[in-house]
Amino acid sequence: MKDKTILIRAGYNNQECYGAMNPPIFQTTAYEFRDSEHAANLFDLSEVGPIYTRINNPTTEIFEKRICELERGEGAVATASGTAAIFYTFANVAEAGDNIIIAKQAYGGTLTLGAHTIRRFGIEARFFDIHNLEELESLIDDRTKLIFFEIIPNPAIEMGDIKKIAKIAKEHNILLCADNTVATPILCKPLKLGADIVVHSTSKYINGNGSAIGGVIVEGKSAFKKIKDNKRYYHFNEPDKSYHGLVYSELKGAIFTLRARLALLRDFGGAISPFNSWLNLQGLETLALRMKQHSKSALKIAKFLESHPKVLKVNYPGLKSNPSYKYAKKYLKKGRASGLLSFEVESREFAQKVAESTKIFSLVVNIGDSKSIITHPASTTHQQLSPQELIDAGVPGGLIRLSVGLEDVDDLIDDLNQALS
Ligand SMILES: *Cc1c(COP(=O)(O)O)cnc(C)c1O
């Protein structure tokens, strides 16, 4: 099936639910077993079915199947947030003494998770510049368990060469995970470009209304191949004492997400609520239409800003003048570059004034909503940094970030024009 059909039809057979056209919300904690043999079969995986909503839920399963098909994956597991999806991806491969290599151009929460939180578990995060793949290669050693980067990095919005990153991961037989939150599976299919795992914060474009926090991990066919008989991933190739000696690699198919479900949702517990899965299903139905419009409006706004005398610089991969343009053309569907852009004005004070003067754009630190959003990173998300640190982080005081929503684009341009005056 093609994307637009998958978004609306995949993973749901309404005849299993009284013909209900909209998938029901299975708002239940647990599921009664037919008898003790049925229970035993579910626990030893000889039969599949829901046991307890922390591990699996029928509404969530529809959402997982839909995203999985959309990403052309083998398996998927949904989580309570994008952050949980990223943490579980790390925890699924690494233990004390191991390291994970992360692109510097990443979401703030991913950077703090790497630099501070997993460090306390004895796992080291090493950071590379997405434009410097020699640096990436120099950081790899025997204890490297994962390479992690964002397709369109939030908030840096500078793309890297995805296929070259994938080539390095392949040469070293290391799993590669791409955070596809900003591009979404409509604009980019990282598994086809050489990633083995994809994660999303579904709280952004996939939900699309800003109504639910959620995340998902998807694995491609190549994950199994990289894990099987690879000493780096010995814990998938040896009996798991926590699951009566199960050897994951003796099973076929989606063993990365299976382990995330059986071991990590079991022990860490960050399960998505079935209601949030249902909200995400509503969002998915229009994802293709929305991503086309977000990209179209963002490009028009980027061009308007580029021609504005008070704007020093516009950062949008869809603009010909942008250094990421070549990657946007190569890796994003029809060069559509999603709804995230940033631009720089002369001073921190003026940027703050602009951010406060818009009437339609809301001053919020979120992205991917149908409602347009304006953020001044220097006074919000990056407030604790010094002027020099702000420049090093690529967020000078005069930088403003926009998440272009679905309002009429001419109203949005008028709004920015008056705020810049
Ligand atoms: C928002 C975001 C996250 C974190 O997701 P939450 O759902 O907020 O936990 C991770 N990666 C990227 C690129 C994001 O934009």
Side-chain angles (χ1 to χ4, degrees):
M1 283 196 290
K2 295 203 166 51
D3 283 357
K4 285 182 194 161
T5 310
I6 292 169
L7 288 171
I8 291 167
R9 296 285 179 177
Y12 179 53
N13 173 4
N14 67 26
Q15 288 311 307
E16 290 168 5
C17 298
Y18 302 97
M21 283 300 285
N22 201 330
I25 308 169
F26 284 85
Q27 195 67 37
T28 180
T29 309
Y31 311 82
E32 188 174 6
F33 306 118
R34 288 191 303 274
D35 49 37
S36 50
E37 190 192 341
H38 178 217
N41 289 348
L42 290 173
F43 275 94
D44 78 9
L45 308 177
S46 60
E47 203 176 316
V48 287
I51 296 173
Y52 189 64
T53 284
R54 170 151 44 77
I55 311 295
N56 42 17
N57 172 281
T59 308
T60 297
E61 194 177 310
I62 300 164
F63 173 62
E64 289 166 339
K65 284 185 173 163
R66 220 164 262 191
I67 288 275
C68 185
E69 228 175 296
L70 202 58
E71 288 283 13
R72 309 295 187 265
E74 284 287 293
V77 60
T79 54
S81 67
T83 303
I86 294 166
F87 175 61
Y88 290 0
T89 299
F90 292 0
N92 213 14
V93 289
E95 62 187 47
D98 290 341
N99 65 78
I100 286 170
I101 305 179
I102 304 174
K104 273 178 201 156
Q105 289 84 351
Y107 181 70
T110 301
L111 297 177
T112 51
L113 171 64
H116 303 289
T117 304
I118 60 171
R119 187 170 289 270
R120 303 197 64 226
F121 298 170
I123 302 165
E124 183 194 356
R126 300 176 174 176
F127 297 97
F128 73 101
D129 184 333
I130 205 162
H131 308 300
N132 183 354
L133 301 187
E134 279 168 20
E135 182 180 25
L136 163 61
E137 201 145 21
S138 73
L139 295 172
I140 294 172
D141 66 19
D142 289 350
R143 299 297 297 266
T144 301
K145 295 298 170 80
L146 187 75
I147 298 170
F148 185 94
F149 75 109
E150 297 181 12
I151 298 292
I152 302 179
N154 170 27
I157 331 179
E158 299 163 21
M159 294 177 69
D161 194 331
I162 301 169
K163 280 195 174 163
K164 282 201 177 142
I165 296 173
K167 188 162 170 270
I168 293 171
K170 190 160 185 202
E171 278 164 9
H172 294 268
N173 213 12
I174 295 170
L175 289 168
L176 176 67
C177 178
D179 182 333
N180 198 22
T181 298
V182 178
T184 80
I186 296 302
L187 302 180
C188 185
K189 305 252 191 260
L191 298 177
K192 284 191 171 178
L193 298 171
D196 310 297
I197 300 152
V198 170
V199 292
H200 285 281
S201 165
T202 63
S203 324
K204 316 291 171 53
Y205 290 104
I206 285 174
N207 171 277
N209 306 296
S211 66
I213 298 283
V216 67
I217 308 171
V218 187
E219 73 183 290
K221 266 205 176 81
S222 58
F224 180 83
K225 287 189 205 132
K226 275 194 185 166
I227 290 169
K228 177 84 177 162
D229 299 330
N230 184 344
K231 277 203 289 263
R232 263 184 226 280
Y233 307 109
Y234 78 92
H235 58 300
F236 281 89
N237 290 298
E238 291 175 6
D240 179 353
K241 286 193 197 120
S242 82
Y243 215 93
H244 46 66
L246 174 69
V247 180
Y248 283 95
S249 69
E250 282 175 357
L251 304 170
K252 289 278 169 288
I255 59 172
F256 187 89
T257 45
L258 181 71
R259 187 175 184 279
R261 186 186 301 285
L262 297 184
L264 303 181
L265 284 179
R266 179 193 64 196
D267 297 345
F268 291 136
I272 193 168
S273 140
F275 182 57
N276 286 359
S277 293
W278 182 83
L279 289 168
N280 288 343
L281 285 169
Q282 311 309 302
L284 275 183
E285 292 196 351
T286 56
L287 185 66
L289 295 170
R290 286 187 288 110
M291 292 319 293
K292 187 173 170 186
Q293 187 61 50
H294 279 296
S295 305
K296 209 173 148 196
S297 296
L299 181 61
K300 191 164 180 186
I301 289 177
K303 285 181 177 163
F304 157 76
L305 290 169
E306 204 171 37
S307 69
H308 196 285
K310 289 192 184 161
V311 174
L312 307 180
K313 192 180 161 205
V314 182
N315 197 15
Y316 183 63
L319 278 180
K320 279 207 180 76
S321 59
N322 193 272
S324 296
Y325 182 72
K326 54 182 182 293
Y327 300 135
K329 279 216 75 115
K330 189 168 172 191
Y331 297 129
L332 303 178
K333 187 181 178 186
K334 298 187 181 167
R336 289 182 186 141
S338 190
L340 202 61
L341 65 91
S342 63
F343 63 101
E344 217 179 313
V345 294
E346 154 203 72
S347 68
R348 183 183 175 126
E349 293 67 36
F350 186 55
Q352 213 159 341
K353 186 215 146 248
V354 172
E356 284 165 5
S357 318
T358 53
K359 296 191 168 76
I360 299 174
F361 281 86
S362 309
L363 193 57
V364 176
V365 284
N366 184 26
I367 59 162
D369 199 317
S370 54
K371 291 145 301 265
S372 290
I373 289 166
I374 191 163
T375 315
H376 180 225
S379 62
T380 54
T381 51
H382 295 66
Q383 191 192 31
Q384 59 283 38
L385 304 188
S386 71
Q388 187 55 46
E389 283 175 325
L390 284 173
I391 291 164
D392 291 345
V395 277
L399 191 83
I400 295 167
R401 190 186 68 185
L402 302 179
S403 169
V404 176
L406 301 175
E407 303 92 339
D408 191 294
V409 67
D410 293 329
D411 285 338
L412 296 177
I413 288 175
D414 286 348
D415 193 26
L416 290 169
N417 203 21
Q418 66 77 24
L420 281 162
S421 66

